[in-house]
């Protein structure tokens, strides 16, 4: 979409000549709009759900909520990864009450209907009352999520059977997900300690926050002070970065910066043993993927939002977030750190330290983000003021969602909202 | 949630009564520092090789976990603990500006061992945090490793395990528990 002419919808007000790009605050506050959004946008988008390492062995399962549906994700007895609605096809009770485990079958606690972990109804736990061909058409098997696809180990689901393939949906974001997986020649794994926390704010605010370079200095001054204390002895301090619209509303910022990373950015505070391990990891990476891609993977820090509610951060650590909308003004954030399988213990320690001190809800930065999002939500709920602004860096002729702009501008958000408007304004 | 630290003791009930009274006095003072937001005073209660930890929510065995292999909510050594205090004393620590009201209740103190120099104790905790007209609760268990320091103690290790499946609705651990 090329922004040349003035445009106004229920959601956007854009005036390229005045260099203004505004978002209606209703998108964060209107409960009816939220219901429409669930039906037409969230239930038709590809949503990040889990990583394959969370069900590593045959018969492993996890249960997890996505939008307002709880799914059982299984690696079934044949090794196939599947996801089922966690509700009994008989009378509807939630079947599996454990968050994680290993089972060949699932038994509903209410009447004892039992299902194979591939979904087929095995028994109704009844000696009489049903014809033998009762389930011949599979109507009473567990209901499978309409679409499930995996990109480089990252499992996405979609509730729309007619949705485009995941790789088309991800567009230019797909290769950046592949780059995450290429951090390691041994594969990635989710590190224990999933974080789950509530924010009294609309879920889209956390998406905007996740790739907003502009807020770093004002919101995170106290974290930057802490980080500077850890960068003693680092000489190469300059950073270059860009905001980039990818496709279909996905966007990221990418920044070539020395911030310390267990893959290829050693900090003097970590000591000499760690330096050798980091050099080894870097050499292995270059050997495996070549110098050019090796640089992109190891030196470029990246915060990326997969439209509409998934975040893939590739910084001091790999950190994935999924924003679960609870109501129009409440969300739960779920966050997982990932690291290479068989990572050296010293590097694993650094990776975890980077994740919890910056991105965790007990860290030095994320709690301040949570505060900012709740302040925004309170500001919107005052009412009376209709428009928010994401104009920074906007000029006539800008192409979103696939443009490029300076790091501290707001192109990423314009990419998100352009896609949002495209979907929501098309609703009859 | 089961773990060795909170199971009933098989030791004689009154074996450590004197130690328990001393530990109760000590951690009541610690709570007073925290409720007064006297973090500079609070940090002097720790040894130079201390750790202060809050385990992840939703885990079955919080006292068996290793912060080097599992991501905790907080896993501070002395340096990061001091940095946490420096940060919280700034007005740019937005989440705690203006400062929330807190009330720390440390109760049910049990002495697991006392070898004369080092005491291992557990306490139940319930911490209230009030800000923006909302009060959140942080219920949990604390395991202390205390070293004797004259007629008082210093904290070598304080590990807090919250009785929460997730930080819902608390949202964060921005105060000291």
């Amino acid at each position: 979409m090329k922004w040349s002419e003035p445009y106004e919808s229920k959601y956007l007000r854009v005036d390229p000549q005045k260099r203004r790009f505004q978002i209606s605050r209703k998108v964060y506050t209107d409960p009816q709009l939220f219901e429409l959004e669930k039906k037409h946008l969230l239930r038709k988008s590809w949503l990040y759900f889990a990583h394959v390492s969370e069900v590593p062995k045959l018969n492993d399962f996890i249960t997890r909520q996505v939008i307002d549906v709880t799914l059982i994700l299984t690696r079934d007895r044949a090794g196939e990864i599947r996801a089922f609605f966690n509700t009994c096809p008989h009378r509807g009770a939630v079947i599996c009450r454990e968050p994680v485990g290993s089972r060949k079958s699932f038994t509903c606690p209410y009447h004892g209907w039992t299902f194979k972990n591939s979904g087929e109804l095995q028994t109704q736990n009844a000696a009489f009352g049903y014809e033998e061909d009762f389930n011949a058409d599979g109507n009473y098997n567990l209901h499978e999520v309409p679409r499930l696809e995996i990109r480089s180990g990252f499992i996405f689901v979609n509730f729309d059977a007619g949705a485009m393939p995941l790789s088309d949906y991800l567009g230019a974001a797909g290769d950046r997900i592949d780059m995450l997986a290429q951090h390691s020649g041994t594969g990635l794994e989710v590190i224990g300690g999933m974080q789950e926390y509530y924010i009294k704010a609309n879920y889209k605010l956390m998406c905007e926050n996740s790739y907003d370079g502009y807020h770093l200095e004002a919101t995170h001054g106290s974290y930057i002070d802490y980080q500077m204390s850890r960068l003693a002895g680092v000489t190469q301090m300059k950073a270059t970065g860009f905001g980039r619209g990818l496709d279909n509303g996905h966007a990221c910022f990418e920044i070539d910066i020395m911030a310390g990373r267990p893959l290829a950015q050693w900090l003097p505070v970590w000591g000499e043993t760690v330096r050798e391990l980091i050099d080894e990891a870097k050499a292995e990476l270059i050997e495996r993927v070549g110098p050019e891609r090796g640089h992109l993977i190891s030196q470029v820090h990246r915060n990326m939002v997969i439209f509409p509610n998934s975040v893939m951060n590739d910084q001091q650590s790999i950190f994935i977030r999924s924003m679960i909308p609870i109501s129009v003004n409440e969300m739960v954030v779920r966050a997982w750190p990932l690291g290479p399988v068989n990572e050296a213990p010293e590097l694993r320690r650094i990776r975890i330290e980077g994740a919890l001190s910056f991105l965790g809800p007990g860290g030095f930065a994320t709690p301040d983000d949570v505060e900012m999002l709740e302040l925004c939500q309170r500001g919107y709920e005052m009412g009376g003021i209709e428009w928010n602004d994401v104009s920074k860096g906007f000029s006539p002729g800008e192409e979103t969602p696939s443009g490029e702009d300076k790091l501290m501008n707001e192109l990423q958000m314009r990419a998100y909202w352009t896609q949002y408007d495209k979907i929501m304004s098309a609703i009859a | 949630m089961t773990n060795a630290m909170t199971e009933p003791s098989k030791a004689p009930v009154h074996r450590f009564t004197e130690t328990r009274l001393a530990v109760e006095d000590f951690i009541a003072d610690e709570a007073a520092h925290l409720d007064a937001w006297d973090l500079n005073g609070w940090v002097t209660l720790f040894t130079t090789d201390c750790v202060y930890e809050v385990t992840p929510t939703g885990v079955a065995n919080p006292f068996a976990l290793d912060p080097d292999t599992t991501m905790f909510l907080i896993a501070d050594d002395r340096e990061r603990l001091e940095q946490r205090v420096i940060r919280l004393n700034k007005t740019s620590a937005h989440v705690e500006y203006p400062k929330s009201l807190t009330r720390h209740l440390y109760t049910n103190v049990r002495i697991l061992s006392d070898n004369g120099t080092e005491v291992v104790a557990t306490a139940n905790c319930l911490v209230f945090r009030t800000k923006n007209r909302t009060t959140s609760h942080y219920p949990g268990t604390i395991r202390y490793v205390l070293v004797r320091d004259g007629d008082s103690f210093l904290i070598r290790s304080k590990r807090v395990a919250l009785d929460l499946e997730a930080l819902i609705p608390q949202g964060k651990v921005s105060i000291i528990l």
Side-chain angles (χ1 to χ4, degrees), chain A residues 192-213:
Chain A
M194 178 179 85
Q195 299 171 340
E196 220 176 344
Y197 49 99
Y198 171 91
I199 307 179
K200 193 164 176 51
N202 183 276
Y203 73 98
K204 297 186 290 297
L205 282 165
M206 190 60 161
C207 296
E208 292 186 290
N209 173 268
S210 290
Y211 53 13
D212 177 2

Side-chain angles (χ1 to χ4, degrees), chain A residues 79-101:
Chain A
E80 186 86 6
I81 291 180
R82 301 167 178 275
F84 303 101
F85 286 70
N86 190 8
T87 169
C88 187
H90 173 217
R91 299 268 287 276
V94 164
I95 296 171
C96 182
R97 292 167 290 173
E98 300 137 313
V100 58

